[in-house]
Every structure is written in C-alpha cells, then in structure tokens.
Amino acid sequence: MEHALSNERIINQANALPAESSRDERLIKKGIEAAAQDERPIDDRTARYIAGQLHGGQASALYSLASTGNIVEDTVYHEMYEDLEAQTPEVASWVEALRAYCLAREDKGPIKGWAENAAILDRIDATRERVQVLGGIAVAPELVADADASPAAGHAIHADRLDELFGEPPDKEIGRADELGWFGLIIDHSTGGGAIISQDEQGFRYVWETDDGEALDQRWQSVIREHRTYEDSLVDLERRHQAARLERVGYACPECEEPIIERTQPLSPPTWSHQDGEPLCPVSGDAGSEPAQPGVWREGEVVPLAGEADGDDAHGGGPRVYVTSLADYINGDLHGRWIAADRDVEDLESAVARLLAMSPARRNGEDAEEWAVHDYEGFEGDVTSTLGEWPSLQDLSKVAKGITEHGPAFGAWVAYLGRASDELVDRFEEFYRGEWGSITDYAEDYLQETEFYRLLDDLPEYIRHYVSVDVEQYAEDLTSTMYVADTPEGGVWVFSVS
C-alpha cells in the first residue's frame, strides 16, 4: 500500500516549465530574473550559458567568453548584435543582459576556474532536480516503478495521521529543511515496511508509505545518495571559493572587496580610492556616513590596513626592512614599503606579495615578481651584510625575531657564524656572556665572580705585598677563547666560543 502526499499540499504538474524549454534556457531565464530582482548584472554562470547559446564557433569572441571568461572587447559586442533583428525578444533580452555584464566587469581577462565553478553549480542544480517532490514524495524519479506507484493518484492523508507520523522522532533522519529538505525514515516492524516523511523550507510536510521493506530501503538510500552529492558539491564549491580568495593579494575596499589604489599629492596625506577614482564604499561612523578605511587581503579575508604591520606607523619599533619592487626600480619608479621583519615567514610572504601586486609595472602589463631589501632598521650592522640585499624570508624572520627577543647581540652572533641557517644560531643563549664596556671590564668582573681576589687576600701579608694581577693581559688572553663584538655605543658583546 502506497500513499501519496498529504492534503497539506498537492503539486500542480501543470505549472511545470514547457517541455520545449531546454535546461540552459531555464537557467538563463532564472539568472536574468535574479539579477533584475537584485538590481545587478547577471552572474558569471549565466553569462557563460548565454555566450554558449550565442557563439558562432571556436574562433568567435563569444566562444572565448563561454569557455574561459575572457572578454575580447574589440569583437564581442559586434558578435552580440550581429543578426539581432532576426532574434526573438527573449534572445534579445539575453544579449542586453550579457552586454551589461561585459561592461560592468572590471577584469576582462580569463577567469581561473570559470568552467569548473559553473560545473559545480550545475551539479547542485541537478541534485535539486533529482531530489524533487513528485506529488509531494521526495524521491529520485528513477525509483518510481510505474504509474500506479506514482503519487499523482492524489490520495491524501488525514491531518491526524500526519501529526502521528511527525510527532515522534524517526528511526533515521537526514538533511535540513532550508536546504534540500529534511527527511525522516520510520520503520514499521510489524509489516516490514514503513514511511519516509519530509518537510521543506516553507513548512509543508510530505509522507510516502509502503509495506514493501525493500522498496522503502531503496528509496531511503536514494535520498541519502542525493544528499551526499549535494553536500559534496557545496564543499567543493566552498573549497574553490576559498582557494580563489586566498590567491587574492593587494589592497581592497573592505565593503565590496574590490581593488583600491593609494593616491599621493605633494604636501597632502595619501588618499585611497577605487580604481575608477571613486571613493571607498561608505560606512556608518561616529560622524555619519564616511568612506571605509582601506584594507588588505590576508589569508583570504580583507583586514584593516591599520592592523597590518606593513607601514611606517605600524611596525611597533622592532626590526624592519624596506622592500622594493625590482621591476619598478629598473624603470626608475621607487615602489617600496617598510615591512616589520619580526613576523612569521607566511606573514612576510603575504606582505611582499601585496607589495608586488600593487606594482606600477604590473599595472602596465609587465612582470613584477622580483624584490630586494634596500634598507634595514633595528639590525646590528654586520648582520645586514650577512643577510644581504636578497635574503631568504626564512632567514630574515629568524634573525629579526631573535633580535626582538634577545636584542642586537643576536645579530652580532649571526654575523659571527656567517649565516642564519647555522645550527649554532639557535644556541645563542648558551654562548652569550653579556654586554660590557670593554673586554677588560668583562675580565675584571670574571675575576670578581670567581673570588680570585679573595684568594689573594688569604695570602700572608709579606707575600701579598708582591703579588698583583695584570687584568689587561688576562683580558687579551681571553680573546683567544672568546668572540668579542663591538656595540654601536662603544661597548662589547662577549661570546664564549672555545
């Protein structure tokens, strides 16, 4: 015995789309309607399908747009309007929507993952279509064995029976009402059959019952498969979306996440604007509506620029370096920025990537991949020669963090060892003895600490009168087992290296 949907809702199959409308045409119509409702251009996926319907072959600009997202402005508009008078009003609306999309999109070049992202959304839509409500029964259509088993028979379930089925926790459940719907499995152990109950985001409840245990299990497994397909598609889409965000670098408006540029004028503080010159998107502040503060891409999110240790005012007084873009340096443009160096390697990589992303050379179509350190601050003099103009970011981070933790003597230790990657660098505290005014001061303190002078005092008076210590000679002898580095203030750092 199989029952159709309850009388809470009966699907009207007459409302389905006409059979002659292809899936692509339905998708295009849906995309255009959604864009009009939100007062925005159509999305990438809708543009891809419109271009796929209109292109005239692989050599056409519309084919390039459909396959890669590339907008060839010299020819794509001509192809759109060619033979437009002979097209139906519906196709003419497609052309107008695609034209508005092309004009609005700032980046006209190919889009990474263009076809793949559309394919993921296609799979999600296909899943939604397969797990459809046929007369209220949530089931893949291939499981409907024959017309007699179809819910179209219109048999309704009494409201009391609905309350009974939905009143107790099911044996198994899956899904969410606001996604593909919530489904529950109720097993009738007396007959071997049972029921599948479901509820959608609008609150409508559905029931499918059978006394055939095998059919019940088959239908439930179908629901599980479709939900897993749907969830896998969502996970894949989110993974690709996050990967695309992680690849974004440079400065951005935190409201719209679009690229922004810094504009400088003589004797005036720098200002930020969108690339078209418009101010950053407005936000509500203490003084009312005002432009948003500039942000920068970091780990897939736009964070306030003020929170980044990139600039002169944000480095916190620790070691820092002035990094420049070599492509711009060669062109005569000084494009660089002070970057706080005592950060993790990943942070330094992001900071350098942002610097290169905003390169004038790159904006002019040139490669801007090489960089160099043209100035150091907060580093001991000799260690800057050790690190050089092209240090590895691993070495730079290691030395800067060591200086922040131990002081500039750490830099002197690295300079003595000759490279930041030396294993002895990490044993700094084991070898460092401290800072003194001179090596003679260190020798004097050492003799005091070892109670050498107390031993002299214990000598008989007639002998003590003839005994003295040549501290300066002793200090000179110590240098054979010590590394002594001059401090900027005129003192010395002493390391035991014997």
Side-chain angles (χ1 to χ4, degrees):
M1 175 186 66
E2 293 186 0
H3 293 296
L5 226 274
S6 78
N7 55 0
E8 291 201 357
R9 187 187 191 197
I10 301 296
I11 298 298
N12 182 3
Q13 299 295 338
N15 291 333
L17 288 170
E20 61 269 15
S21 295
S22 69
R23 178 185 171 281
D24 290 0
E25 291 170 343
R26 296 197 302 273
L27 187 150
I28 291 170
K29 180 179 179 181
K30 181 179 177 182
I32 292 177
E33 289 175 349
Q37 182 175 356
D38 296 339
E39 297 182 350
R40 58 167 174 79
I42 58 176
D43 57 25
D44 291 348
R45 183 183 179 214
T46 306
R48 179 174 184 266
Y49 278 99
I50 292 176
Q53 291 285 324
L54 300 179
H55 77 77
Q58 295 186 4
S60 68
L62 284 170
Y63 182 87
S64 177
L65 173 57
S67 57
T68 68
N70 185 37
I71 299 174
V72 184
E73 291 191 285
D74 292 342
T75 55
V76 70
Y77 300 111
H78 172 74
E79 291 182 9
M80 287 184 203
Y81 285 96
E82 189 175 13
D83 298 329
L84 182 61
E85 295 180 355
Q87 301 294 347
T88 65
E90 182 180 24
V91 173
S93 69
W94 297 357
V95 171
E96 185 56 36
L98 186 60
R99 173 182 173 277
Y101 166 86
C102 292
L103 291 173
R105 209 181 85 191
E106 292 185 1
D107 182 5
K108 311 297 185 184
I111 295 179
K112 186 175 181 180
W114 172 263
E116 291 82 355
N117 289 336
I120 291 172
L121 293 172
D122 288 348
R123 290 202 299 273
I124 292 176
D125 277 356
T127 299
R128 289 184 180 275
E129 291 178 1
R130 287 196 298 272
V131 184
Q132 58 185 308
V133 178
L134 298 178
I137 296 177
V139 57
E142 60 267 24
L143 294 182
V144 180
D146 51 51
D148 293 335
S150 169
H155 186 81
I157 296 179
H158 194 276
D160 291 343
R161 176 60 173 158
L162 275 176
D163 292 338
E164 177 186 347
L165 290 170
F166 282 86
E168 297 293 333
D171 295 283
K172 297 179 181 180
E173 60 182 305
I174 192 172
R176 290 164 47 100
D178 58 352
E179 293 179 351
L180 285 183
W182 172 87
F183 296 86
L185 173 65
I186 299 175
I187 300 175
D188 185 343
H189 297 284
S190 62
T191 66
I196 294 177
I197 61 177
S198 67
Q199 182 170 329
D200 63 20
E201 60 183 350
Q202 296 178 335
F204 292 112
R205 299 184 296 180
Y206 309 95
V207 176
W208 179 83
E209 289 185 294
T210 180
D211 54 11
D212 186 337
E214 183 178 353
L216 180 70
D217 180 68
Q218 186 181 24
R219 190 155 297 196
W220 180 250
Q221 293 303 318
S222 175
V223 171
I224 292 176
R225 285 195 303 271
E226 298 302 337
H227 262 280
R228 287 175 178 171
T229 300
Y230 171 76
E231 291 170 353
D232 290 345
S233 297
L234 287 182
V235 170
D236 194 15
L237 183 62
E238 176 60 27
R239 184 184 298 113
R240 290 176 181 273
H241 177 66
Q242 186 60 27
R245 293 179 67 88
L246 288 171
E247 290 181 357
R248 297 187 68 176
V249 296
Y251 304 108
C253 173
E255 297 301 307
C256 65
E257 299 186 347
E258 294 300 321
I260 58 176
I261 55 177
E262 186 178 20
R263 302 181 183 275
T264 57
Q265 295 180 353
L267 305 180
S268 298
T271 59
W272 292 87
S273 70
H274 290 96
Q275 291 182 325
D276 59 4
E278 290 296 319
L280 272 59
C281 297
V283 295
S284 297
D286 296 338
S289 181
E290 56 189 21
Q293 294 299 310
V296 65
W297 281 102
R298 182 176 183 184
E299 297 179 356
E301 300 294 336
V302 179
V303 299
L305 183 59
E308 284 291 292
D310 278 357
D312 295 330
D313 299 328
H315 68 88
R320 61 176 186 160
V321 291
Y322 190 81
V323 180
T324 58
S325 164
L326 289 182
D328 298 291
Y329 184 76
I330 293 172
N331 291 337
D333 295 325
L334 184 57
H335 177 68
R337 198 173 191 89
W338 283 104
I339 295 175
D342 54 345
R343 297 191 288 170
D344 292 339
V345 174
E346 294 77 14
D347 291 334
L348 294 179
E349 290 174 343
S350 297
V352 172
R354 290 192 294 272
L355 168 73
L356 296 176
M358 301 304 295
S359 161
R362 179 171 292 185
R363 290 201 295 269
N364 293 330
E366 302 178 33
D367 291 333
E369 306 295 338
E370 302 296 329
W371 56 273
V373 173
H374 281 183
D375 200 0
Y376 287 87
E377 281 191 6
F379 292 79
E380 187 275 327
D382 288 342
V383 76
T384 61
S385 300
T386 302
L387 291 170
E389 192 173 358
W390 297 281
S392 76
L393 295 180
Q394 288 82 359
D395 289 351
L396 183 61
S397 172
K398 185 176 186 177
V399 174
K401 284 184 174 182
I403 291 173
T404 298
E405 181 179 359
H406 303 293
F410 186 87
W413 178 238
V414 174
Y416 169 73
L417 295 173
R419 55 193 178 97
S421 58
D422 193 297
E423 63 177 358
L424 294 180
V425 167
D426 296 326
R427 297 168 61 186
F428 167 82
E429 293 177 302
E430 180 182 338
F431 293 92
Y432 183 51
R433 295 294 173 264
E435 180 178 348
W436 278 267
S438 66
I439 186 61
T440 302
D441 291 342
Y442 169 77
E444 182 71 31
D445 286 351
Y446 180 77
L447 292 174
Q448 293 284 358
E449 290 178 3
T450 58
E451 299 185 343
F452 179 78
Y453 288 115
R454 187 183 63 77
L455 295 176
L456 292 183
D457 292 339
D458 291 343
L459 293 174
E461 183 63 28
Y462 68 92
I463 296 177
R464 175 73 181 83
H465 179 73
Y466 297 100
V467 178
S468 63
V469 179
D470 188 343
V471 178
E472 292 186 357
Q473 182 59 53
Y474 176 60
E476 183 178 343
D477 292 343
L478 283 178
T479 58
S480 64
T481 59
M482 298 283 185
Y483 168 59
V484 182
D486 295 330
T487 71
E489 293 77 20
V492 293
W493 294 302
V494 179
F495 301 86
S496 176
V497 295
S498 59

